[in-house]
Amino acid sequence: QVQLVESGGGLVQAGGSLRLSCVASGNIFSLNDMAWYRQAPGKQRDLVARITSGGITNYADSVKGRFTISRDNAKNTVYLQMNSLKPEDTARYCCRGWVLFRDRTEYDYWGDGTQVTVSS
């Protein structure tokens, strides 16, 4: 069984920073892409940032220049450094990982998420 567990959310004032972490555990051969999504109440879930196993990244336009996604493959961990936070960044942030198993099958998994609240 594979689990993704996020941490690092909280309440922060506008202009502040937070660093989210997501650790994948279980019967993992390797991790392919990993990504962060967010969902605000009453809104759809949107991609925030994605990173390949080789470190290639892409970001939603709304966070470019403010957020940075990174990963530590040895620790099966992906991070999201969030700077210059705005009230509109308030959402539940969820991690998604594409897990490769020894038989070369791949499945994606989601964490439960961590809440980020930015006050004005």
Side-chain angles (χ1 to χ4, degrees):
Q1 190 65 290
V2 173
Q3 280 191 314
L4 273 63
V5 179
E6 302 94 336
S7 62
L11 174 64
V12 63
Q13 288 189 330
S17 298
L18 284 174
R19 189 193 195 207
L20 306 183
S21 299
C22 171
V23 181
S25 63
N27 187 26
I28 297 170
F29 180 68
S30 68
L31 284 171
N32 289 335
D33 290 13
M34 298 190 76
W36 287 97
Y37 289 74
R38 67 185 181 187
Q39 186 170 22
K43 295 188 176 182
Q44 67 179 21
R45 182 166 57 190
D46 292 325
L47 175 68
V48 176
R50 181 165 175 161
I51 185 168
T52 69
S53 58
I56 297 171
T57 59
N58 69 282
Y59 297 91
D61 287 343
S62 59
V63 307
K64 282 180 181 177
R66 300 188 298 122
F67 290 11
T68 302
I69 189 171
S70 61
R71 63 190 290 167
D72 184 334
N73 291 331
K75 296 181 178 179
N76 287 341
T77 300
V78 64
Y79 305 98
L80 187 67
Q81 178 66 44
M82 305 186 294
N83 298 329
S84 303
L85 283 161
K86 305 175 181 179
E88 51 264 44
D89 295 319
T90 295
R92 189 163 189 83
Y93 285 70
C94 294
C95 171
R96 183 182 185 186
W98 284 262
V99 177
L100 183 66
F101 295 94
R102 288 191 178 275
D103 63 0
R104 297 299 181 179
T105 57
E106 182 189 72
Y107 295 95
D108 66 301
Y109 293 85
W110 291 84
D112 289 335
T114 184
Q115 179 66 35
V116 172
T117 302
V118 185
S119 63
S120 56

